[in-house]
Short mmCIF file of all heavy atoms in Angstrom, two decimals:
data_model
loop_
_atom_site.label_atom_id
_atom_site.label_comp_id
_atom_site.label_asym_id
_atom_site.label_seq_id
_atom_site.Cartn_x
_atom_site.Cartn_y
_atom_site.Cartn_z
N PRO A 270 -2.39 17.09 -21.30
CA PRO A 270 -1.48 16.79 -22.42
C PRO A 270 -0.05 17.26 -22.18
O PRO A 270 0.89 16.65 -22.67
CB PRO A 270 -2.10 17.51 -23.62
CG PRO A 270 -3.49 17.85 -23.22
CD PRO A 270 -3.53 17.91 -21.73
N THR A 271 0.13 18.34 -21.42
CA THR A 271 1.50 18.80 -21.17
C THR A 271 2.25 17.85 -20.25
O THR A 271 3.46 17.69 -20.39
CB THR A 271 1.53 20.23 -20.57
OG1 THR A 271 0.84 20.25 -19.33
CG2 THR A 271 0.90 21.23 -21.53
N VAL A 272 1.56 17.22 -19.32
CA VAL A 272 2.18 16.22 -18.44
C VAL A 272 2.50 14.96 -19.23
O VAL A 272 3.59 14.39 -19.12
CB VAL A 272 1.27 15.88 -17.25
CG1 VAL A 272 1.82 14.70 -16.45
CG2 VAL A 272 1.08 17.09 -16.34
N MET A 273 1.57 14.53 -20.06
CA MET A 273 1.67 13.23 -20.71
C MET A 273 2.48 13.24 -22.01
O MET A 273 2.75 12.19 -22.57
CB MET A 273 0.27 12.68 -20.98
CG MET A 273 -0.57 12.48 -19.72
SD MET A 273 0.19 11.38 -18.50
CE MET A 273 -0.05 9.80 -19.31
N ARG A 274 2.92 14.40 -22.48
CA ARG A 274 3.55 14.47 -23.80
C ARG A 274 4.79 13.60 -23.94
O ARG A 274 5.11 13.18 -25.04
CB ARG A 274 3.84 15.91 -24.18
CG ARG A 274 4.99 16.53 -23.43
CD ARG A 274 5.27 17.94 -23.91
NE ARG A 274 6.25 18.52 -23.03
CZ ARG A 274 6.08 19.63 -22.35
NH1 ARG A 274 4.97 20.30 -22.47
NH2 ARG A 274 7.03 20.07 -21.57
N TYR A 275 5.49 13.31 -22.84
CA TYR A 275 6.68 12.45 -22.91
C TYR A 275 6.45 11.09 -22.25
O TYR A 275 7.37 10.31 -22.12
CB TYR A 275 7.87 13.12 -22.25
CG TYR A 275 8.23 14.46 -22.85
CD1 TYR A 275 8.31 15.59 -22.06
CD2 TYR A 275 8.49 14.58 -24.21
CE1 TYR A 275 8.66 16.82 -22.60
CE2 TYR A 275 8.83 15.81 -24.76
CZ TYR A 275 8.91 16.92 -23.94
OH TYR A 275 9.25 18.13 -24.49
N ILE A 276 5.22 10.85 -21.81
CA ILE A 276 4.94 9.63 -21.04
C ILE A 276 4.10 8.65 -21.83
O ILE A 276 4.39 7.46 -21.88
CB ILE A 276 4.24 10.00 -19.71
CG1 ILE A 276 5.16 10.86 -18.85
CG2 ILE A 276 3.83 8.73 -18.96
CD1 ILE A 276 4.49 11.46 -17.63
N GLY A 277 3.02 9.15 -22.41
CA GLY A 277 2.11 8.26 -23.13
C GLY A 277 0.83 8.97 -23.44
O GLY A 277 0.73 10.20 -23.38
N GLU A 278 -0.19 8.20 -23.77
CA GLU A 278 -1.49 8.75 -24.13
C GLU A 278 -2.12 9.46 -22.94
O GLU A 278 -2.01 9.02 -21.80
CB GLU A 278 -2.42 7.62 -24.59
CG GLU A 278 -1.96 6.91 -25.85
CD GLU A 278 -2.02 7.80 -27.06
OE1 GLU A 278 -2.97 8.60 -27.19
OE2 GLU A 278 -1.09 7.71 -27.89
N VAL A 279 -2.81 10.57 -23.24
CA VAL A 279 -3.64 11.23 -22.23
C VAL A 279 -4.68 10.21 -21.77
O VAL A 279 -5.20 9.44 -22.57
CB VAL A 279 -4.30 12.49 -22.85
CG1 VAL A 279 -5.36 13.06 -21.93
CG2 VAL A 279 -3.24 13.52 -23.19
N GLN A 280 -4.98 10.22 -20.48
CA GLN A 280 -5.90 9.22 -19.94
C GLN A 280 -7.19 9.87 -19.45
O GLN A 280 -7.15 10.94 -18.82
CB GLN A 280 -5.25 8.49 -18.76
CG GLN A 280 -4.04 7.69 -19.14
CD GLN A 280 -3.37 7.03 -17.95
OE1 GLN A 280 -3.68 7.32 -16.79
NE2 GLN A 280 -2.45 6.12 -18.22
N ASP A 281 -8.30 9.20 -19.71
CA ASP A 281 -9.54 9.62 -19.07
C ASP A 281 -9.53 9.09 -17.64
O ASP A 281 -8.60 8.40 -17.21
CB ASP A 281 -10.76 9.16 -19.87
CG ASP A 281 -10.92 7.65 -19.97
OD1 ASP A 281 -10.28 6.90 -19.18
OD2 ASP A 281 -11.67 7.19 -20.84
N ARG A 282 -10.56 9.41 -16.88
CA ARG A 282 -10.60 9.04 -15.46
C ARG A 282 -10.51 7.52 -15.26
O ARG A 282 -9.79 7.04 -14.39
CB ARG A 282 -11.86 9.59 -14.81
CG ARG A 282 -11.93 9.32 -13.32
CD ARG A 282 -13.20 9.92 -12.71
NE ARG A 282 -13.35 9.54 -11.33
CZ ARG A 282 -12.72 10.11 -10.33
NH1 ARG A 282 -11.89 11.10 -10.54
NH2 ARG A 282 -12.91 9.68 -9.09
N ALA A 283 -11.21 6.76 -16.08
CA ALA A 283 -11.20 5.30 -15.93
C ALA A 283 -9.80 4.74 -16.18
O ALA A 283 -9.33 3.87 -15.44
CB ALA A 283 -12.22 4.66 -16.88
N ALA A 284 -9.13 5.23 -17.22
CA ALA A 284 -7.77 4.76 -17.52
C ALA A 284 -6.80 5.18 -16.42
O ALA A 284 -5.90 4.42 -16.04
CB ALA A 284 -7.31 5.29 -18.87
N ALA A 285 -6.97 6.40 -15.90
CA ALA A 285 -6.11 6.86 -14.81
C ALA A 285 -6.32 5.99 -13.56
O ALA A 285 -5.35 5.66 -12.86
CB ALA A 285 -6.38 8.33 -14.50
N PHE A 286 -7.56 5.62 -13.29
CA PHE A 286 -7.82 4.75 -12.14
C PHE A 286 -7.12 3.40 -12.32
O PHE A 286 -6.49 2.89 -11.39
CB PHE A 286 -9.33 4.55 -11.94
CG PHE A 286 -9.65 3.69 -10.74
CD1 PHE A 286 -9.60 4.22 -9.46
CD2 PHE A 286 -9.98 2.36 -10.90
CE1 PHE A 286 -9.87 3.43 -8.35
CE2 PHE A 286 -10.25 1.56 -9.80
CZ PHE A 286 -10.20 2.10 -8.52
N ARG A 287 -7.19 2.84 -13.52
CA ARG A 287 -6.49 1.58 -13.79
C ARG A 287 -4.98 1.75 -13.64
O ARG A 287 -4.30 0.87 -13.10
CB ARG A 287 -6.85 1.05 -15.18
CG ARG A 287 -8.28 0.51 -15.27
CD ARG A 287 -8.55 -0.22 -16.58
NE ARG A 287 -8.42 0.63 -17.76
CZ ARG A 287 -9.38 1.41 -18.24
NH1 ARG A 287 -10.56 1.46 -17.64
NH2 ARG A 287 -9.17 2.13 -19.32
N SER A 288 -4.45 2.88 -14.07
CA SER A 288 -3.03 3.16 -13.93
C SER A 288 -2.63 3.24 -12.45
O SER A 288 -1.59 2.71 -12.04
CB SER A 288 -2.70 4.47 -14.64
OG SER A 288 -1.39 4.88 -14.38
N LEU A 289 -3.46 3.90 -11.65
CA LEU A 289 -3.19 3.97 -10.22
C LEU A 289 -3.23 2.57 -9.60
O LEU A 289 -2.36 2.23 -8.79
CB LEU A 289 -4.21 4.90 -9.56
CG LEU A 289 -3.92 5.31 -8.13
CD1 LEU A 289 -4.48 6.71 -7.87
CD2 LEU A 289 -4.52 4.34 -7.15
N CYS A 290 -4.18 1.77 -10.00
CA CYS A 290 -4.26 0.39 -9.50
C CYS A 290 -3.03 -0.41 -9.91
O CYS A 290 -2.51 -1.21 -9.13
CB CYS A 290 -5.53 -0.30 -10.00
SG CYS A 290 -7.05 0.36 -9.27
N ALA A 291 -2.55 -0.19 -11.14
CA ALA A 291 -1.33 -0.87 -11.59
C ALA A 291 -0.14 -0.46 -10.75
O ALA A 291 0.73 -1.28 -10.43
CB ALA A 291 -1.08 -0.58 -13.07
N ALA A 292 -0.08 0.82 -10.37
CA ALA A 292 1.02 1.30 -9.51
C ALA A 292 1.01 0.56 -8.18
O ALA A 292 2.05 0.10 -7.70
CB ALA A 292 0.91 2.81 -9.30
N LEU A 293 -0.16 0.41 -7.60
CA LEU A 293 -0.26 -0.32 -6.33
C LEU A 293 0.06 -1.80 -6.52
O LEU A 293 0.75 -2.41 -5.71
CB LEU A 293 -1.66 -0.15 -5.74
CG LEU A 293 -1.96 1.24 -5.20
CD1 LEU A 293 -3.43 1.39 -4.88
CD2 LEU A 293 -1.11 1.54 -3.98
N GLY A 294 -0.41 -2.38 -7.62
CA GLY A 294 -0.12 -3.78 -7.90
C GLY A 294 1.35 -4.04 -8.13
O GLY A 294 1.87 -5.12 -7.79
N HIS A 295 2.05 -3.06 -8.70
CA HIS A 295 3.48 -3.20 -8.93
C HIS A 295 4.21 -3.48 -7.62
O HIS A 295 5.13 -4.31 -7.57
CB HIS A 295 4.02 -1.93 -9.60
CG HIS A 295 5.29 -2.12 -10.35
ND1 HIS A 295 6.50 -2.30 -9.72
CD2 HIS A 295 5.55 -2.17 -11.67
CE1 HIS A 295 7.45 -2.44 -10.62
NE2 HIS A 295 6.89 -2.38 -11.83
N TRP A 296 3.81 -2.79 -6.56
CA TRP A 296 4.41 -3.03 -5.25
C TRP A 296 4.24 -4.49 -4.82
O TRP A 296 5.16 -5.10 -4.29
CB TRP A 296 3.78 -2.11 -4.20
CG TRP A 296 4.34 -0.74 -4.23
CD1 TRP A 296 3.82 0.36 -4.86
CD2 TRP A 296 5.55 -0.31 -3.61
NE1 TRP A 296 4.65 1.43 -4.66
CE2 TRP A 296 5.71 1.05 -3.89
CE3 TRP A 296 6.51 -0.95 -2.82
CZ2 TRP A 296 6.79 1.79 -3.43
CZ3 TRP A 296 7.59 -0.22 -2.36
CH2 TRP A 296 7.72 1.13 -2.66
N HIS A 297 3.07 -5.03 -5.05
CA HIS A 297 2.79 -6.40 -4.60
C HIS A 297 3.50 -7.45 -5.45
O HIS A 297 3.88 -8.50 -4.94
CB HIS A 297 1.27 -6.63 -4.56
CG HIS A 297 0.62 -5.80 -3.52
ND1 HIS A 297 0.61 -6.13 -2.19
CD2 HIS A 297 -0.01 -4.61 -3.61
CE1 HIS A 297 0.00 -5.19 -1.49
NE2 HIS A 297 -0.39 -4.26 -2.34
N LEU A 298 3.69 -7.17 -6.73
CA LEU A 298 4.35 -8.13 -7.61
C LEU A 298 5.87 -8.02 -7.59
O LEU A 298 6.56 -9.04 -7.68
CB LEU A 298 3.84 -7.97 -9.05
CG LEU A 298 2.38 -8.32 -9.26
CD1 LEU A 298 1.96 -7.97 -10.68
CD2 LEU A 298 2.12 -9.79 -8.97
N ARG A 299 6.40 -6.82 -7.49
CA ARG A 299 7.84 -6.60 -7.59
C ARG A 299 8.50 -6.25 -6.25
O ARG A 299 9.72 -6.31 -6.14
CB ARG A 299 8.15 -5.47 -8.57
CG ARG A 299 7.67 -5.72 -9.99
CD ARG A 299 8.70 -6.42 -10.80
NE ARG A 299 8.38 -6.33 -12.22
CZ ARG A 299 8.54 -7.34 -13.05
NH1 ARG A 299 9.01 -8.49 -12.63
NH2 ARG A 299 8.23 -7.19 -14.32
N GLY A 300 7.70 -5.80 -5.28
CA GLY A 300 8.30 -5.37 -4.01
C GLY A 300 8.75 -3.92 -4.03
O GLY A 300 9.35 -3.43 -3.08
N PHE A 301 8.46 -3.22 -5.11
CA PHE A 301 8.73 -1.79 -5.24
C PHE A 301 7.75 -1.23 -6.25
O PHE A 301 7.09 -1.99 -6.96
CB PHE A 301 10.18 -1.50 -5.67
CG PHE A 301 10.62 -2.21 -6.93
CD1 PHE A 301 10.35 -1.68 -8.18
CD2 PHE A 301 11.30 -3.42 -6.86
CE1 PHE A 301 10.76 -2.34 -9.34
CE2 PHE A 301 11.72 -4.09 -8.01
CZ PHE A 301 11.44 -3.54 -9.25
N GLY A 302 7.65 0.08 -6.32
CA GLY A 302 6.72 0.69 -7.26
C GLY A 302 6.68 2.19 -7.10
O GLY A 302 7.52 2.78 -6.42
N PRO A 303 5.70 2.83 -7.72
CA PRO A 303 5.56 4.28 -7.63
C PRO A 303 4.83 4.71 -6.35
O PRO A 303 3.98 3.99 -5.83
CB PRO A 303 4.71 4.65 -8.84
CG PRO A 303 4.60 3.42 -9.67
CD PRO A 303 4.86 2.26 -8.77
N TRP A 304 5.20 5.88 -5.90
CA TRP A 304 4.52 6.53 -4.77
C TRP A 304 3.74 7.73 -5.29
O TRP A 304 4.09 8.31 -6.32
CB TRP A 304 5.54 7.09 -3.77
CG TRP A 304 6.32 6.13 -2.97
CD1 TRP A 304 5.96 5.55 -1.79
CD2 TRP A 304 7.66 5.67 -3.23
NE1 TRP A 304 6.98 4.75 -1.33
CE2 TRP A 304 8.03 4.81 -2.19
CE3 TRP A 304 8.58 5.90 -4.26
CZ2 TRP A 304 9.28 4.18 -2.14
CZ3 TRP A 304 9.81 5.28 -4.21
CH2 TRP A 304 10.15 4.43 -3.15
N ALA A 305 2.75 8.15 -4.51
CA ALA A 305 2.15 9.46 -4.70
C ALA A 305 3.12 10.46 -4.07
O ALA A 305 3.78 10.16 -3.06
CB ALA A 305 0.80 9.53 -3.99
N ILE A 306 3.21 11.65 -4.66
CA ILE A 306 4.08 12.69 -4.11
C ILE A 306 3.19 13.82 -3.60
O ILE A 306 2.30 14.28 -4.31
CB ILE A 306 5.02 13.29 -5.18
CG1 ILE A 306 5.79 12.21 -5.90
CG2 ILE A 306 5.96 14.31 -4.55
CD1 ILE A 306 6.48 12.74 -7.16
#
């Protein structure tokens, strides 16, 4: 909750997995996206 308080809803594992997949998909659709740090 401390990480997500300014970002959005706290995510369970399934939602986080979908979010990670969306990050990878963003690269394919837009040509840029988020990286893991």
Side-chain angles (χ1 to χ4, degrees):
T271 61
V272 172
M273 300 302 287
R274 73 177 172 237
Y275 302 125
I276 297 170
E278 296 293 321
V279 170
Q280 296 177 349
D281 63 16
R282 183 179 174 80
F286 182 78
R287 288 189 298 275
S288 172
L289 192 149
C290 291
L293 290 169
H295 202 287
W296 280 97
H297 293 280
L298 294 174
R299 300 271 195 221
F301 54 84
W304 290 274
I306 307 167

